[in-house]
Amino acid sequence: MNPQAAIHPTEVDGIPTLFAYATGPVRAGLVFRVGGADETLARAGVTHLVEHLALHRQGLADYHFNGATKAAFTHFHVEGAEHEVVAYLQGVCASLADLPMERLETEKEILRTEESRREVGPLPLWRYGAQGHGLVSYPEWGVRNLRPEDVRDWARTWFTQGNAVLWVAGERLPAGLSLRLPAGGRRPLPAVTSALPATPAYFSEGKGGVLLDAVVEDTTAARLYAGVLERELSRALRQEGGYSYTTATDYASRRDGFALVTAFADALPAKQDAVLGGFVDVLAGLQVGRIGQAGLEAVRTRADGALTAPDAAVRRLPGAAEDLLAGRPVRSTDELRSELWAVTPGHLHAVALEAAGTALLQVPAGHRADWAGYTEAPTSSTYAVTGRRFPSVRGDGTALVVGDEGISVTGREKDGTEGAVTVLYRACAAMLAWPDGGRRLVGTDALVIEVDPELYGVDAHTMAALDAAVLPHAVVSLPPRQQRPAPQAAAAGTETSGRPAPTRRTGRQTAAVVVFGLLGGLFAFFALLLTVFGAGDPETTTGEWLGISGFLWGVAALLAWPAVRILRRTRRV
């Protein structure tokens, strides 16, 4: 093995360092074992805020630099000349020790602007709840109320020497590099929570297609399984069935010995049944062992090419730094390739069975997946608290119950049975509080109750008792709303209680909007040309002209309609 194609461990100022030889500009990154999953819902965004403040003093530079806050890790990375890399890394460390608090409110506004464009999906919320890894599905509600002392304390606790790893790609370690960080030990990975009583599970939401994730052991075989699954989805749903335009999978290591395999297939409204059925059939085929050697070889060859590429070691550095922070060994290319070529179809079959047992499936609204062996994820609680009962002023049979342990909304479920949604005070991940008296309580299980005093006729004393019962660190005070929501019934599983919908367009939904919009616009352009100029063509009869023009306008409308539906369906919370 060429030593210049390997990752070499070393140390800089007591910070574990990974080095890989590379020519050209120096690339480097400082990675900390802290991310959004270490926060609480009521303080969500504090890590991201520290990252922004730490980068402010870099100003405008000719070299490239940036930061990124993930679920369990925060990255600061840079590319440039050796002296520029040294200045950047030392500047980040200096800022982390003395954050520019004069920028606090400005950076908060920048984060709110960034959040308006952030694209996340609902699967983490449904799988993990309103805590830990599930927080990536939520807005960064905590940013608004963070005080300077809150931010400084977070930086002192998490951005420490013992909780960092440095990586460098270049011809040598940069001369004069010195990283001064406060003392502190390595922090464990965030706890993995669950909001699913049973798996495999499903929930019904949106109309953009079918989305699935599954937790599997983080192995080379699992990575190859994700690639084979993508090939099979593309074959069945696009090439043979013609039902989907986009089929894709993703593999994301949690660095705790497990990983998340995600799969997606888009669908037009008229094709949703076919896509869902075909999607389930592909999964079932892999689960019974229908895995061809040819498919495995195609995926394996691509993976081996990535491992043997000239810059393979450099591209592996950020992930290797995360592994090191998680207590996992940094593995050599030879070890990875040996595992890669040892994988058999039988290994992929075992991964398929493992994924089947942990799967979470999102199906389009109005569809079900219990016929395929999936259990519907809960949208209500199994019990209601006892306490004062406030019937809805609408007289629809729903009621708010305020007790000593928590609150519930009771009413009839969609199947006609009595149901309830309950949030206990001790399990309240966040309570959003507006000056008009409105409250939204989010449980750690991701169930939500909207409390509108006017809807339930709740007196001021009871509202004050409710506010006092929620732990102070779970309260998020928000500014006045532009428009107070109109009073409405709040039965279990409705918009005012049950599972929330803090969803935005996913990257694939955005891609679908672009694709359908462009195709629709193209056909509309041709239709307009024909409408304006086609009638003057002496070789075209009026019937032919009208028929072709009408066909083009119809195709344009058909293509534009899905884009409009996606745009209307997705909204910011």
Side-chain angles (χ1 to χ4, degrees):
M1 182 70 188
N2 182 358
Q4 292 187 344
I7 294 176
H8 305 280
T10 183
E11 187 177 287
V12 174
D13 284 342
I15 297 174
T17 301
L18 301 175
F19 174 79
Y21 179 85
T23 58
V26 179
R27 283 161 281 180
L30 190 58
V31 188
F32 293 90
R33 218 310 290 142
V34 59
D38 296 294
E39 303 167 351
T40 64
L41 181 57
R43 293 296 179 265
V46 59
T47 308
H48 196 185
L49 183 56
V50 170
E51 175 222 312
H52 270 236
L53 289 169
L55 290 176
H56 167 67
R57 293 193 180 108
Q58 300 297 324
L60 298 175
D62 293 331
Y63 56 88
H64 173 73
F65 70 89
N66 211 335
T69 301
K70 301 169 64 176
F73 302 93
T74 299
H75 292 247
F76 296 95
H77 50 87
V78 60
E79 179 179 331
E82 190 172 297
H83 70 278
E84 293 170 333
V85 170
V86 170
Y88 170 81
L89 293 173
Q90 293 182 167
V92 166
C93 292
S95 288
L96 287 171
D98 182 22
L99 293 171
M101 286 304 170
E102 70 277 5
R103 288 282 302 180
L104 183 61
E105 295 306 318
T106 301
E107 295 299 337
K108 286 181 179 182
E109 289 299 321
I110 292 173
L111 287 186
R112 283 195 283 272
T113 302
E114 182 179 343
E115 182 179 88
S116 68
R117 298 182 288 105
R118 188 164 59 103
E119 297 175 347
V120 298
L123 284 173
L125 174 157
W126 285 83
R127 178 175 291 280
Y128 301 111
Q131 54 186 327
H133 290 275
L135 296 184
V136 299
S137 287
Y138 287 89
E140 294 176 336
W141 282 324
V143 167
R144 186 181 300 273
N145 297 150
L146 288 171
R147 303 166 301 174
E149 54 266 37
D150 299 326
V151 182
R152 288 194 187 99
D153 182 65
W154 192 262
R156 284 192 298 264
T157 302
W158 294 91
F159 292 86
T160 64
Q161 182 188 66
N163 206 35
V165 166
L166 172 69
W167 63 264
V168 178
E171 297 183 13
R172 62 172 186 172
L173 285 176
L177 180 59
S178 178
L179 304 179
R180 304 298 183 187
L181 289 168
R186 183 72 50 83
R187 304 302 294 259
L189 288 168
V192 177
T193 58
S194 177
L196 297 173
T199 53
Y202 82 95
F203 65 96
S204 177
E205 182 178 307
K207 298 183 182 297
V210 178
L211 184 62
L212 172 140
D213 73 19
V215 177
V216 296
E217 189 177 350
D218 188 6
T219 63
T220 300
R223 290 181 181 273
L224 293 179
Y225 168 78
V228 170
L229 175 59
E230 182 172 295
R231 283 175 56 89
E232 289 301 301
L233 288 173
S234 179
R235 176 194 58 76
L237 300 181
R238 178 168 178 165
Q239 296 176 3
E240 295 180 1
Y243 306 135
S244 291
Y245 174 77
T246 298
T247 56
T249 63
D250 185 48
Y251 185 90
S253 172
R254 285 198 321 222
R255 309 294 179 189
D256 63 350
F258 292 89
L260 213 60
V261 174
T262 305
F264 170 79
D266 61 4
L268 289 172
K271 300 292 186 181
Q272 289 171 2
D273 287 332
V275 170
L276 177 56
F279 197 105
V280 170
D281 286 345
V282 168
L283 295 173
L286 297 176
Q287 289 159 21
V288 298
R290 289 204 296 267
I291 301 170
Q293 186 70 33
L296 169 58
E297 293 302 331
V299 174
R300 182 179 7 231
T301 300
R302 187 167 64 247
D304 190 58
L307 285 174
T308 56
D311 63 343
V314 174
R315 289 188 289 106
R316 286 179 52 216
L317 282 171
E322 291 186 359
D323 276 332
L324 202 59
L325 284 166
R328 292 155 59 99
V330 177
R331 311 184 66 197
S332 69
T333 301
D334 287 340
E335 289 176 312
L336 294 173
R337 293 191 69 203
S338 176
E339 283 191 5
L340 183 69
W341 289 100
V343 174
T344 67
H347 292 120
L348 299 191
H349 182 208
V351 175
L353 293 176
E354 182 185 15
T358 64
L360 174 62
L361 183 68
Q362 177 185 342
V363 301
H367 291 71
R368 302 183 64 86
D370 43 5
W371 55 270
Y374 293 81
T375 300
E376 187 173 12
T379 56
S380 59
S381 304
T382 57
Y383 65 96
V385 300
T386 57
R388 292 191 61 189
R389 186 173 182 274
F390 298 89
S392 167
V393 297
R394 304 248 332 235
D396 55 9
T398 62
L400 173 71
V401 182
V402 181
D404 294 334
E405 296 181 326
I407 64 172
S408 299
V409 169
T410 62
R412 290 200 173 274
E413 299 277 12
K414 296 177 182 178
D415 60 4
T417 61
E418 287 292 327
V421 172
T422 297
V423 175
L424 299 178
Y425 299 132
R426 68 173 184 272
C428 180
M431 181 179 75
L432 309 188
W434 288 274
D436 59 22
R439 301 289 185 264
R440 180 189 298 173
L441 278 71
V442 184
T444 53
D445 57 2
L447 295 181
V448 173
I449 295 179
E450 299 278 0
V451 180
D452 185 338
E454 293 184 5
L455 174 61
Y456 297 107
V458 184
D459 59 88
H461 176 75
T462 301
M463 287 301 300
L466 188 157
D467 287 346
V470 176
L471 296 175
H473 65 258
V475 178
V476 179
S477 298
L478 296 175
R481 292 180 277 194
Q482 293 182 351
Q483 183 178 2
R484 184 168 182 166
Q488 55 182 317
T494 69
E495 289 186 1
T496 54
S497 68
R499 288 278 186 172
T503 58
R504 303 172 181 82
R505 284 192 303 279
T506 64
R508 295 187 180 97
Q509 287 173 321
T510 301
V513 170
V514 173
V515 170
F516 285 120
L518 288 176
L519 290 175
L522 183 63
F523 274 90
F525 174 72
F526 287 137
L528 181 62
L529 289 179
L530 186 61
T531 302
V532 175
F533 300 108
D537 186 352
E539 297 183 2
T540 305
T541 66
T542 301
E544 291 173 336
W545 166 67
L546 290 175
I548 297 173
S549 177
F551 172 76
L552 291 174
W553 281 115
V555 172
L558 181 64
L559 290 168
W561 184 75
V564 173
R565 290 298 301 271
I566 294 173
L567 287 169
R568 293 182 61 186
R569 182 174 66 251
T570 55
R571 59 183 176 87
R572 183 184 176 212
V573 174

